[in-house]
Amino acid sequence: MRGADTPSARTVLSVADETPTVRTLEFEDAELARAAPGQFAMVWVPGAGELPMSVMVSGTAGRAAFTVRAHGPSSRALYGVREGGLIGVRGPYGNSFDATARSALLVGGGTGLVPLMRLITRLPPDARIGLAMGSRDAGEVLFEARARELAQGREIRIEVATDDGSRGLAGTAVDAARRLLDSGGYAAAYTCGPEPMMAALVREAAARGVPAQASVERVMKCGVGICGSCCMDDRVVCCDGTVFGGEHLASSADFGRACRSKSGATVPL
Amino acid sequence: MAASLETRVGPIGLPSPAMLASGILGISTGVFRRLLDAGAGAVVTKSLSAEAWEGYANPTVIGAAGGGWLNAVGLSNPGAAEFARMLRGPPATPAIVSLVGSEPQDFGRMVAEFAGCDVVAYELNLSCPHVARVGLEVGDDAALVESVVRATAAASSAPVVAKVGLGSASYLDTVGAAVAGGASAITAINTVRAMAIDAEAARPVLSNAYGGLSGPPIKPIALRCVHEIASRHEIPVIGCGGVSTWEDAVEFLLAGASAVQVGSALARGNMGVFGEINAGILRYMERKGHGSVREMVGLARR
């Protein structure tokens, strides 16, 4: 007999290159297909490791996906899984974005755009959406067409920023977000991506009186609030988060500044 | 007189008998304060070593059938000196400090790091089932246990608790050695060495293959060990292993434990478990006419 949190084997049904360094792997999983935006799964690559991954939307009912960039040993292994390959999943874990805003500003950097794609599908049917996306260069711009598809006829305005200026604005997602904020009228800002970018966005939104929510990433081992590896101040990110409100984050000593290493030592971000 | 949750484990005074077990959520003093506010009688830190340890690669924690958990976290911790800095504050956080090492002198040196900290007690991890040269490998060697406990007690003004588990030697011999070395109390038990294999992948799931089983599946074993230790030794016992409800806690007290530790039941952000256990014990005490926790200890051994 299996436990509810024992990894369940899933066969990867398709692998699609999103950019030269980012891939999306799809698989069947009714429960993860229903995951709320911001929730994550712990993903086991047998023999290679296990890592927390935000659950990406799939265009096929009953399927979920992971969008991964190879940067550490576990993500490199997941990036290398081919069609027909086996992964183990447990989850979904964590809380999620409050998707009720009728005018929503979404701000994502790199694969931080993943929970924002799921968020687009959950925003109200009459929502007005602004999407600021940041990436390294023109070739790494992620999910631009997918975001328009997922908007399904709702108004969506997209601003792209690249670090090197090869597409859109030269700058970060926050610079792109500023343009959208200048046009005004957003009831909420949602962000996921590199923490310095999120911290800047939370400050920017607060200065304009727009409530923000950010999905925070930390070292995760258990994903279920047992090991404590992911703690941020007095919060356990895997259970109390990963989504936190801007007001809480503004009062956090750690957010935007420090995280825990694998040993649990506090280290600068 | 109204029933009170206040109790003692030998020299260790506690406002309530359910404390946080070592290894669980034990690296943030902010989280410790939340747990104390939620009703934990004390918090035990992760086992701290002389140097920082990263622990094993993931998968390190997975669910097991019957509401249990399997872990081979591998004693990851930021090291005794760094942890002492966190405990010292400000604000200072009171804690039972769990220590892990291989040699008696390791423990004496680590105790020195905690000068200026509010150390409620030291709990010696003689029972981690999945890391080489420490934990059970120390606990299985009675002579080494005695000298480790003696070295820690000599270095410390705080009481020393020995945490024992099911290794290849009899844990009752480990208890005897800890008593001889001057331990003030025994914590029993640690996780039980176990493993998981995935049928589809045809390989062990934990990166270390072997880990420790915790949660409800090990409660009956832990209860038996507490009963056995309390029957054979004149030393206070802290019961640990699958305590998830007030009823579990009461059973451990009746078996002879002076207090209990709660670990796996905290999964999924369930910090409210301490309040539930405290309220349940109080109701039980009032129903049975017990004024203090201490008068319940060992009643099932009459």
Side-chain angles (χ1 to χ4, degrees):
Chain A
M1 208 173 101
R2 312 174 62 82
D5 298 281
T6 307
S8 296
R10 297 285 180 260
T11 303
V12 171
L13 299 173
S14 74
V15 178
D17 284 333
E18 305 282 358
T19 77
T21 67
V22 176
R23 264 175 199 168
T24 297
L25 291 71
E26 285 204 357
F27 54 96
E28 265 177 18
D29 190 306
E31 207 179 338
L32 290 183
R34 286 193 300 269
Q39 285 194 298
F40 68 96
M42 293 299 291
V43 185
W44 178 44
V45 185
E50 187 189 45
L51 73 167
M53 293 291 300
S54 187
V55 185
M56 178 60 189
V57 287
S58 159
T60 309
R63 286 191 185 183
F66 298 121
T67 297
V68 61
R69 167 177 279 123
H71 56 85
S74 297
S75 60
R76 214 165 24 246
L78 182 59
Y79 184 84
V81 175
R82 303 297 156 95
E83 205 175 294
L86 192 78
I87 56 174
V89 298
R90 54 190 181 94
Y93 294 134
N95 70 358
S96 57
F97 289 116
D98 168 16
T100 55
R102 307 273 286 275
S103 59
L105 174 64
L106 283 51
V107 185
T111 51
L113 284 157
V114 167
L116 303 181
M117 293 303 106
R118 188 168 282 273
L119 175 60
I120 291 177
T121 68
R122 301 299 176 88
L123 288 168
D126 57 349
R128 186 173 67 90
I129 302 163
L131 173 61
M133 41 171 53
S135 50
R136 201 171 56 205
D137 55 45
E140 290 296 328
V141 175
L142 193 60
F143 295 151
E144 196 179 358
R146 182 74 62 91
R148 287 189 201 283
E149 262 172 55
L150 294 173
Q152 292 197 309
R154 287 169 295 179
E155 183 190 330
I156 183 165
R157 190 175 152 198
I158 299 181
E159 285 286 346
V160 174
T162 51
D163 294 344
D164 66 355
S166 55
R167 263 290 311 277
L169 274 173
T172 69
V174 180
D175 297 311
R178 215 169 274 126
R179 277 207 178 170
L180 293 167
L181 281 165
D182 283 341
S183 66
Y186 288 104
Y190 304 88
T191 185
C192 185
E195 199 156 308
M197 181 279 281
M198 291 198 291
L201 190 275
V202 165
R203 282 194 299 272
E204 188 77 34
R208 297 168 189 247
V210 178
Q213 299 167 42
S215 173
V216 174
E217 184 172 17
R218 284 292 182 273
V219 168
M220 282 186 192
K221 296 183 181 181
C222 72
V224 293
I226 290 179
C227 74
S229 301
C230 64
C231 62
M232 178 175 75
D233 310 307
D234 66 346
R235 301 304 156 113
V236 181
V237 169
C238 69
C239 280
D240 297 323
T242 61
V243 177
F244 295 93
E247 246 172 78
H248 172 76
L249 294 172
S251 69
S252 163
D254 283 355
F255 179 68
R257 297 180 190 93
C259 62
R260 302 293 184 123
S261 69
K262 284 181 184 171
S263 76
T266 302
V267 292
L269 266 178
Chain B
M1 200 182 88
S4 164
L5 286 173
E6 254 179 73
T7 191
R8 302 198 72 76
V9 179
I12 307 163
L14 298 170
S16 54
M19 55 179 100
L20 174 73
S22 182
I24 309 293
L25 291 176
I27 61 172
S28 155
T29 53
V31 172
F32 280 163
R33 283 192 291 279
R34 272 176 83 184
L35 293 162
L36 292 167
D37 288 347
V43 292
V44 186
T45 68
K46 276 188 186 273
S47 291
L48 305 168
S49 45
E51 307 292 330
W53 288 351
E54 282 202 355
Y56 296 126
N58 283 348
T60 46
V61 183
I62 57 168
W69 295 91
L70 255 174
N71 93 82
V73 167
L75 297 173
S76 60
N77 79 91
E82 167 66 8
F83 211 97
R85 189 189 62 73
M86 291 196 281
L87 285 182
R88 211 170 279 129
T93 307
I96 296 177
V97 172
S98 173
L99 300 176
V100 66
S102 301
E103 303 290 335
Q105 57 268 31
D106 297 344
F107 291 84
R109 263 190 237 120
M110 283 189 281
V111 165
E113 301 280 6
F114 290 89
C117 296
D118 187 355
V119 177
V120 176
Y122 289 98
E123 184 183 83
L124 308 186
N125 180 345
L126 308 172
S127 44
C128 169
H130 53 69
V131 177
R133 291 182 300 280
V134 298
L136 274 178
E137 291 192 20
V138 175
D140 279 345
D141 180 340
L144 184 54
V145 166
E146 187 176 334
S147 54
V148 161
V149 172
R150 183 165 288 128
T152 313
S156 160
S157 52
V160 176
V161 180
K163 183 169 178 178
V164 303
L166 303 180
S168 47
S170 167
Y171 75 100
L172 288 168
D173 293 341
T174 313
V175 171
V179 171
S184 294
I186 299 293
T187 300
I189 57 176
N190 207 310
T191 58
V192 178
R193 192 178 284 141
M195 77 180 302
I197 290 175
D198 184 90
E200 297 303 320
R203 61 190 314 152
V205 182
L206 295 172
S207 72
N208 187 56
Y210 296 161
L213 181 65
S214 63
I218 70 165
K219 194 199 87 178
I221 301 171
L223 201 56
R224 180 267 298 179
C225 293
V226 167
H227 189 276
E228 228 169 9
I229 295 167
S231 303
R232 300 205 191 175
H233 290 279
E234 289 297 321
I235 187 166
V237 183
I238 301 167
C240 182
V243 177
S244 312
T245 65
W246 69 265
E247 212 167 2
D248 295 334
V250 166
E251 288 169 27
F252 274 93
L253 296 171
L254 297 176
S258 300
V260 296
Q261 292 180 348
V262 181
S264 302
L266 283 150
R268 299 192 180 286
N270 187 25
M271 294 190 193
V273 70
F274 286 110
E276 288 164 19
I277 288 174
N278 289 344
I281 295 175
L282 269 181
R283 281 195 305 273
Y284 176 86
M285 290 169 72
E286 279 160 8
R287 189 152 50 80
K288 295 285 188 181
H290 299 304
S292 75
V293 171
R294 284 171 69 74
E295 66 190 67
M296 297 160 62
V297 173
L299 285 183
R301 288 192 296 108
R302 281 178 300 192

